[in-house]
Amino acid sequence: MPHKVDVHVGQKIRQRRWLTGMTQQRLAELVGIKFQQIQKYETGANRVSASRLWDIADALDVNVSFFFDGIKTEEEEAQAHAETVPADLLGDKEAMDLIRSYYSIPEDQRRRLFELARVLSDVA
C-alpha cells in the first residue's frame, strides 16, 4: 500500500502538470524517463527519489517544497478527525439512530458493514 506522503507528492505532481498543460509524455522527456514512470509517481505506486523530485520541480517550474504543501502530520490528522466526532456522542440523535439501526442488522452482515465503514473512514 502506498505511503500517504508518496500519494500526496504524486497528486501535487499531477496537479502542477495539469495546471501547466503539460502531458505525462512531455514531463517524462524533460526529466529523462518514460511516461509510465510519471504515471507511477502520480498514483503514489512508486516513490520519487530526491534527485528525481528536484528534476520534476525544475521541469514544472516550482520549488521542491511545493510538493509537500498541505500535507498534515499524524497529530494534525487526529485532531481534524476528533473535530468531526460530536463531543457528546451518546447525546447525538443521529449517532444513536445509527447505532440502533446498526444493531438491528444480522450479525454476519453487520460485521461486513463494519469492515466497509472502517475502510471508507481510512480512505476519507
Side-chain angles (χ1 to χ4, degrees):
M1 189 167 149
H3 191 279
K4 69 177 184 166
V5 174
D6 298 323
V7 172
H8 181 84
V9 168
Q11 288 171 344
K12 296 292 279 188
I13 291 171
R14 177 177 288 147
Q15 173 191 27
R16 180 64 182 170
R17 183 179 58 75
W18 283 350
L19 286 174
T20 61
M22 190 180 297
T23 64
Q24 288 178 337
Q25 182 65 43
R26 180 66 183 138
L27 179 56
E29 289 169 2
L30 290 171
V31 176
I33 58 176
K34 297 191 184 284
F35 80 93
Q36 291 92 337
Q37 189 62 44
I38 297 295
Q39 289 175 329
K40 291 176 183 178
Y41 290 154
E42 289 184 355
T43 61
N46 283 11
R47 289 185 171 169
V48 185
S49 69
S51 58
R52 181 67 42 82
L53 190 59
W54 183 271
D55 292 341
I56 290 171
D58 185 51
L60 294 174
D61 196 30
V62 293
N63 290 323
V64 173
S65 64
F66 167 83
F67 301 109
F68 299 96
D69 289 345
I71 198 160
K72 295 180 180 175
T73 65
E74 288 183 23
E75 183 177 311
E76 290 170 327
E77 285 181 7
Q79 184 176 3
H81 175 65
E83 293 170 1
T84 64
V85 177
D88 181 15
L89 191 59
L90 296 179
D92 184 284
K93 183 183 179 329
E94 184 180 15
M96 293 308 295
D97 287 344
L98 182 61
I99 291 169
R100 193 175 302 111
S101 297
Y102 176 78
Y103 281 105
S104 69
I105 298 171
E107 188 175 347
D108 61 325
Q109 293 175 352
R110 193 170 60 224
R111 173 60 43 199
R112 288 186 293 202
L113 179 61
F114 177 78
E115 291 303 322
L116 173 63
R118 177 179 282 163
V119 168
L120 291 174
S121 69
D122 287 344
V123 171

